[in-house]
Amino acid sequence: MSTEPDQTPTYVAKGQEFDRDMTYVPDRITRDARTPEHGPVEGRLWPVEPGRYRLVAAAACPWANRTLIVRKLLGLEDVLSVGMPGPTHDQRSWTFDLDHDGVDPVLGIHFLRDAYEKRFPGYPRGITVPAIVEVETGELVTNDFPWITHDLFFEWTEHHRPGAPDLWPAELREEMETVMKRVFTEVNNGVYRCGFAGSQEAYDAAYERLWTALDWLEERLATRRYLMGDAITEADVRLFTTLARFDAVYHGHFKCNRQKLVELPHLWGYARDLFQTPGFGETIDFEQIKQHYYVVHTDVNPSGIVPLGPDPSGWETPHGREALSA
């Protein structure tokens, strides 16, 4: 079974283990369309240019949520516009249901698929968010989500706000890569591995892997304010978007229910700390998150009923983690 962020499947394949398809349009946006120092170069290189592109990122999607947070942290709102599809979609495409007449006011489309098809007629893969679209042509540029946030930091430097955080500290990058790899495989993707398991055996194994990683994170965050120490990095952005959805969706809907986030003192304090940091909490819409998972995943939740809880007010309570920043 395979799928892509975030064109999530509408079936659970019986007897199979969840396997995420990580094939994306590999184009990169770089300063002067130069060859970047970091990462693969398999597709076309596009130049950084304010106003040229539009980021399409649904608030409901954790992978797209990363881009919304990084865009805000770096102060790129005036140079990279954002279009936000609604929380629900069918097999065809994400749609701009939240906009007037269901049409994105800049791209002039209802279906995000139109931007994919404009560049790749008959595009055969899932229509995913986040996606970056060239405004003038209406064509998809890239949907390669790990590299979108990476390049917003490394390639859009000229347009960062004064005092923007260093999300990739040079002295920490090697360790960061190890931490982020484990966060992705075991937590970001681990909750999906539980939710879309096609057999009891696959679920049991996924559940054990997830909680082994969450226990590791709980221990790690007992002595440091953020994943890499005293400052927020890209690693924190990547973990936060899963934690923000944990009690509202993953605990019940995906059966990740050994404990709730609010029962894990260090992870819960850490998540609240980030939520209350400018750039994080304002990108979270718990109602859209719940509507997406509980309505779109008809195999997991055939009734389509969206739960009313949990109460989100706890996210604003004091976290007390300032003491960990010496």
Side-chain angles (χ1 to χ4, degrees):
M1 174 187 191
S2 65
T3 186
E4 303 176 55
D6 193 347
Q7 183 75 9
T8 41
T10 53
Y11 63 91
V12 174
K14 189 172 180 60
Q16 292 187 19
E17 178 180 329
F18 174 71
D19 179 26
R20 185 176 297 282
D21 187 341
M22 290 293 291
T23 304
Y24 302 100
V25 176
D27 291 18
R28 305 269 300 274
I29 299 174
T30 63
R31 190 168 56 254
D32 301 321
R34 68 190 183 91
T35 300
E37 292 89 351
H38 308 285
V41 180
E42 300 174 9
R44 175 180 166 188
L45 294 174
W46 302 68
V48 169
E49 188 177 317
R52 179 169 177 172
Y53 310 103
R54 187 160 176 82
L55 170 65
V56 178
C61 166
W63 318 98
N65 197 173
R66 294 182 183 185
T67 62
L68 295 173
I69 293 170
V70 170
R71 175 177 172 268
K72 283 184 173 292
L73 290 176
L74 299 179
L76 295 173
E77 295 96 324
D78 292 338
V79 298
L80 178 64
S81 69
V82 67
M84 302 186 71
T88 61
H89 59 76
D90 57 23
Q91 289 277 37
R92 292 174 294 176
S93 179
W94 289 87
T95 52
F96 294 94
D97 301 318
L98 304 178
D99 292 306
H100 179 66
D101 291 334
V103 174
D104 180 88
V106 173
L107 300 177
I109 56 177
H110 174 62
F111 292 102
L112 178 56
R113 173 176 289 279
D114 292 349
Y116 280 70
E117 295 276 356
K118 188 79 176 290
R119 183 169 176 205
F120 303 106
Y123 185 76
R125 313 189 74 84
I127 305 302
T128 68
V129 291
I132 293 184
V133 178
E134 187 179 36
V135 172
E136 183 177 355
T137 63
E139 295 182 359
L140 174 75
V141 174
T142 182
N143 62 346
D144 200 345
F145 76 99
W147 292 104
I148 289 175
T149 52
H150 176 281
D151 290 343
L152 288 180
F153 177 77
F154 283 101
E155 303 299 332
W156 293 71
T157 312
E158 180 182 346
H159 306 287
H160 291 180
R161 66 174 175 82
D166 182 358
L167 298 179
W168 293 78
E171 70 278 10
L172 297 176
R173 285 175 201 166
E174 185 175 353
E175 184 186 2
M176 270 182 64
E177 292 288 358
T178 300
V179 170
M180 291 191 299
K181 181 177 180 180
R182 188 170 184 184
V183 167
F184 173 71
T185 59
E186 306 304 300
V187 180
N188 300 147
N189 201 41
V191 293
Y192 284 85
R193 196 181 293 113
C194 290
F196 295 137
S199 70
Q200 187 68 50
E201 293 75 18
Y203 166 74
D204 291 352
Y207 180 96
E208 291 301 322
R209 285 180 62 177
L210 171 67
W211 283 102
T212 296
L214 289 174
D215 287 341
W216 162 67
L217 289 166
E218 177 73 1
E219 181 178 357
R220 183 179 180 92
L221 290 165
T223 57
R224 61 185 79 199
R225 186 170 181 180
Y226 305 112
L227 280 178
M228 304 310 301
D230 290 340
I232 290 169
T233 65
E234 169 93 7
D236 298 297
V237 176
R238 295 185 179 197
L239 176 57
F240 172 78
T241 59
T242 295
L243 296 183
R245 290 157 175 76
F246 198 87
D247 286 2
V249 175
Y250 303 143
H251 178 271
H253 184 61
F254 277 178
K255 307 179 185 69
C256 304
N257 61 354
R258 192 191 80 179
Q259 290 164 278
K260 296 176 181 176
L261 178 64
V262 298
E263 297 167 346
L264 300 165
H266 303 304
L267 275 165
W268 175 224
Y270 164 82
R272 299 201 316 277
D273 189 359
L274 291 176
F275 185 88
Q276 294 167 31
T277 299
F280 284 84
E282 63 260 42
T283 70
I284 300 298
D285 187 317
F286 289 111
E287 290 308 310
Q288 287 197 48
I289 288 168
K290 290 189 294 185
Q291 289 170 22
H292 172 66
Y293 286 90
Y294 285 100
V295 173
V296 172
H297 300 163
T298 55
D299 51 342
V300 180
N301 186 43
S303 70
I305 294 173
V306 179
L308 296 176
D311 180 359
S313 62
W315 284 93
E316 299 289 355
T317 59
H319 52 77
R321 290 184 61 82
E322 300 91 345
L324 292 173
S325 290

